Amino acid sequence: QAKRLGRNNVQWYQAEMEILQNKRLNLRAMLKQAIENQEFELYYQPQVEAGSGRLVGLEALLRWQHPVQGFIGPDEFIPIAEETGLIIEIGQWVIEQAATYNRSLQQRGLAELVMAVNISSLQFQREGFVEQLEQTLNKVQLAPKWFELELTESLLLENIEQVIHKLQHLKQLGISIAIDDFGTGFSSLNYLKRLPLDKLKIDKSFINDLVTDKKDAAITRAIIAMAHQLELKVIAEGVETLAQSTLLQKNVCDELQGYFFSRPLPADKLEVFLKNYLPS
Ligand code: C2E
Ligand code: MG
Ligand code: MG
Ligand code: MG
């Protein structure tokens, strides 16, 4: 009996693996088509200055609507895009789309905001990344000071000398740099003093229970204090409640982002939001 169960388990496991494997192969094939078929769309989530409530930025977040499979989230397809190298093409599409849209918001007099874009490691490490970004901003006529890159800690630590070089080039162009998911990377803090950064983005895992968990509150306060000592700005992501927002304001966090202010929105809905927004 036990033996048969064991064998069934193995068979079940293999079947499961095959399904997973097929799913990945499928996703990979579907991803190749997605750009061409215009299945990607950018959503934009507002970022607010904590002190004044003023809107200061937008984060571009990629959405994929497959005609048959329906909505597929970035946490599912970005890793596959990275494995297959398709992230290069997709990432370039995101940059151009986000920059074009930001320029359009300015030209129509709807908003003057910094557009933040998530960048994958493979994309950033590629030779010519900064030059291509500069060209794109030129082409769409967006001033670099209205553009920001969100990079992860782990990305910064691969190839540090090359990374420093690229960051210096970006800084010189006037493009700003934020460290995304700050505090989750297990990395040494040494890089904070070596790299020309502008902003730390406190990971939402610290913000979730900020109001009830003393440790999360302590870590959050410590990150804010450290950032300010290093002359960096701080933004909190995943702000969902008034209580979180109020506490972060008290702790002099510079900027706030999360469902409490707005979910990520497609362009048309964002524009309605912008027209109706009143700083509180
Ligand atoms: P991220 O850059 O850390 O983005 C924050 C995520 O938190 C987004 O998930 C956003 O929708 C979600 N979020 C925002 N406010 C709240 C809140 O108040 N509560 C909660 N629970 N969640 C909130 P999303 O859009 O599913 O993106 C997931 C991740 O996928 C991003 O994490 C980013 O790492 C990656 N990603 C998204 N778009 C791109 C892209 O264009 N390029 C690259 N390379 N990665 C992307
Ligand atoms: Mg981000
Ligand atoms: Mg993040
Ligand atoms: Mg994240």
Side-chain angles (χ1 to χ4, degrees):
Q1 179 72 25
K3 206 169 169 188
R4 197 171 343 125
L5 258 182
R7 195 182 311 136
N8 282 345
N9 271 339
V10 170
Q11 280 171 354
W12 176 86
Y13 176 74
Q14 283 173 342
E16 235 3 47
M17 284 303 288
E18 224 163 278
I19 291 171
L20 265 179
Q21 191 78 14
N22 281 336
K23 208 178 162 197
R24 290 181 84 78
L25 284 174
N26 264 331
L27 270 180
R28 193 176 290 203
M30 281 158 34
L31 260 181
K32 283 206 172 132
Q33 298 291 313
I35 291 193
E36 235 179 285
N37 298 349
Q38 299 186 299
E39 292 162 11
F40 288 124
E41 184 179 5
L42 287 185
Y43 276 42
Y44 303 95
Q45 187 175 35
Q47 301 176 329
V48 165
E49 188 174 69
S52 64
R54 205 166 57 90
L55 290 177
V56 287
L58 297 171
E59 180 179 11
L61 292 157
L62 188 55
R63 297 290 177 261
W64 181 17
Q65 189 71 40
H66 187 270
V68 179
Q69 308 285 323
F71 174 80
I72 304 169
D75 285 328
E76 204 173 333
F77 70 81
I78 295 283
I80 294 171
E82 286 170 344
E83 275 170 39
T84 54
L86 287 167
I87 193 67
I88 301 291
E89 202 185 332
I90 295 171
Q92 175 54 26
W93 180 86
V94 170
I95 286 174
E96 183 153 351
Q97 186 73 19
T100 304
Y101 183 62
N102 204 24
R103 164 76 176 167
S104 150
L105 284 177
Q106 295 185 357
Q107 278 204 307
R108 288 180 291 148
L110 293 178
E112 267 203 332
L113 304 170
V114 174
M115 178 67 75
V117 169
N118 295 285
I119 304 292
S120 283
S121 171
L122 193 65
Q123 196 185 353
F124 186 80
Q125 301 287 359
R126 230 167 85 105
E127 193 174 324
F129 170 78
V130 180
E131 290 78 3
Q132 192 180 8
L133 173 58
E134 183 184 12
Q135 266 178 25
T136 305
L137 296 182
N138 252 326
K139 184 174 91 177
V140 310
Q141 296 183 288
L142 181 72
K145 68 169 180 176
W146 302 115
F147 208 74
E148 181 167 275
L149 304 182
E150 292 196 2
L151 310 176
T152 58
E153 285 170 81
S154 57
L155 177 156
L156 296 175
L157 297 175
E158 305 163 29
N159 259 323
I160 188 125
E161 293 309 324
Q162 211 196 77
V163 164
I164 291 177
H165 186 77
K166 286 189 177 180
L167 292 179
Q168 283 168 343
H169 190 177
L170 288 163
K171 168 143 259 173
Q172 176 207 324
L173 293 172
I175 295 165
S176 40
I177 306 290
I179 303 307
D180 207 350
D181 306 333
F182 185 78
T184 60
F186 290 106
S187 53
S188 101
L189 296 173
N190 198 29
Y191 74 94
L192 286 180
K193 67 173 191 194
R194 294 188 63 197
L195 303 179
L197 307 171
D198 298 283
K199 198 189 274 189
L200 300 184
K201 200 163 184 184
I202 306 176
D203 190 69
K204 57 178 176 291
S205 61
F206 301 112
I207 308 301
N208 274 338
D209 301 323
L210 174 69
V211 179
T212 49
D213 187 323
K214 282 184 180 156
K215 291 182 179 170
D216 284 331
I219 290 170
T220 300
R221 276 197 307 270
I223 294 176
I224 294 170
M226 178 182 69
H228 286 165
Q229 293 286 322
L230 293 168
E231 295 178 21
L232 301 172
K233 282 197 175 180
V234 199
I235 181 167
E237 69 173 12
V239 180
E240 295 185 357
T241 66
L242 175 63
Q244 289 166 338
S245 172
T246 308
L247 190 56
L248 285 160
Q249 266 172 299
K250 251 195 239 161
N251 289 322
V252 294
C253 188
D254 301 287
E255 295 173 7
L256 309 170
Q257 177 182 352
Y259 297 167
F260 177 64
F261 300 96
S262 169
R263 293 197 166 246
L265 300 169
D268 55 342
K269 295 222 172 71
L270 176 78
E271 288 168 28
V272 175
F273 175 89
L274 292 176
K275 280 178 186 141
N276 296 324
Y277 184 78
L278 288 171
S280 53

